[in-house]
Amino acid sequence: MSEGHSGGHHPEPQPYAALRTKAIESLLIEKGLLSTDAIDARVRAYEQDIGPLNGAKVVARAWTDAAYKERLLDDGTSAIAELGFFGAQGAEIVVLENAPAVHNMVVCTLCSCYPWPVLGLPPRWYKSDAYRARAVIEPRAVLQEFGLALDESVELRVWDSNSDIRYMVLPERPEGTDDMDADALAALVTRDSMIGVAKVAAPSPTA
Ligand code: FE
């Protein structure tokens, strides 16, 4: 269940470690020490229960509580832990605030470092060679492909996550949400908006 890091700074990609993990997993299953159900349940927990719902709660709290937002931007790890979210792959989380004139997006150019406690497991595209390379070389084109056309006047900052620091984006609160409470706001926040490849859409007007 590791990302392939053996500790310390970015190691070289480790196909060996991945293969070894797979082999150990197969052996444990064969010997009846581990069930595929148990593995699936843990993966599901990271995909569905742990994130990105946790991140959405963090964002909604920051949108509705100015003091919390200040703590979050000052020390992401501690402010996120206040809400009970911490653990594997979340040693140091730095939160980056998007604003009308500044857009932040996150990548891990060398592997797939990602803030698990708030976002769960990274999506497949985040781990792809194409995203990892192009997010740095032509970030605006990548955003365009995600459906986000940034105005030329907006400063775009690309952050490279690593095994020591993992980034999470605090997206802009959309228009038309003044009456919404934190729970309703959290439901609007998407995983992609917290990676910085999308904005949070305004709620569609109810009939
Ligand atoms: Fe990485």
Side-chain angles (χ1 to χ4, degrees):
M1 216 32 80
S2 97
E3 265 186 316
H5 288 303
S6 57
H9 289 267
H10 269 305
E12 289 299 303
Q14 294 175 325
Y16 169 77
L19 288 172
R20 187 165 176 274
T21 304
K22 197 79 203 157
I24 292 171
E25 184 182 311
S26 307
L27 270 175
L28 289 173
I29 291 165
E30 207 175 287
K31 291 187 180 299
L33 296 172
L34 183 66
S35 74
T36 50
D37 285 352
I39 298 172
D40 290 348
R42 187 153 157 81
V43 168
R44 211 160 36 238
Y46 269 105
E47 275 175 354
Q48 294 172 12
D49 304 335
I50 295 180
L53 295 178
N54 289 355
K57 288 178 189 161
V58 169
V59 169
R61 175 75 184 273
W63 284 348
T64 53
D65 179 342
Y68 181 78
K69 177 177 156 183
E70 200 173 311
R71 293 200 296 282
L72 183 68
L73 296 174
D74 182 53
D75 178 352
T77 315
S78 299
I80 287 165
E82 278 180 44
L83 301 192
F85 310 141
F86 51 83
Q89 314 292 330
E92 181 168 2
I93 300 176
V94 170
V95 180
L96 313 159
E97 183 183 20
N98 277 353
V102 180
H103 185 91
N104 298 281
M105 71 185 278
V106 180
V107 64
C108 172
T109 55
L110 288 192
C111 40
S112 56
C113 298
Y114 194 72
W116 289 17
V118 273
L119 297 188
L121 293 179
R124 193 175 292 272
W125 57 258
Y126 184 85
K127 299 184 273 188
S128 72
D129 291 343
Y131 180 75
R132 285 159 42 202
R134 295 183 59 228
V136 213
I137 298 166
E138 44 174 0
R140 281 175 198 271
V142 172
L143 291 182
Q144 193 93 46
E145 286 163 30
F146 275 96
L148 177 53
L150 273 195
D151 194 272
E152 279 301 319
S153 65
V154 176
E155 183 190 342
L156 176 56
R157 299 177 184 161
V158 181
W159 300 80
D160 194 357
S161 276
N162 56 59
S163 52
D164 296 323
I165 301 179
R166 287 135 202 274
Y167 299 101
M168 168 187 159
V169 173
L170 172 60
E172 289 171 80
R173 179 171 176 166
E175 301 286 323
T177 57
D178 291 352
D179 300 337
M180 297 173 77
D181 64 14
D183 285 345
L185 288 168
L188 298 176
V189 180
T190 61
R191 175 197 67 200
D192 287 2
S193 72
M194 295 181 279
I195 304 176
V197 295
K199 288 181 183 257
V200 174
S204 45
T206 46

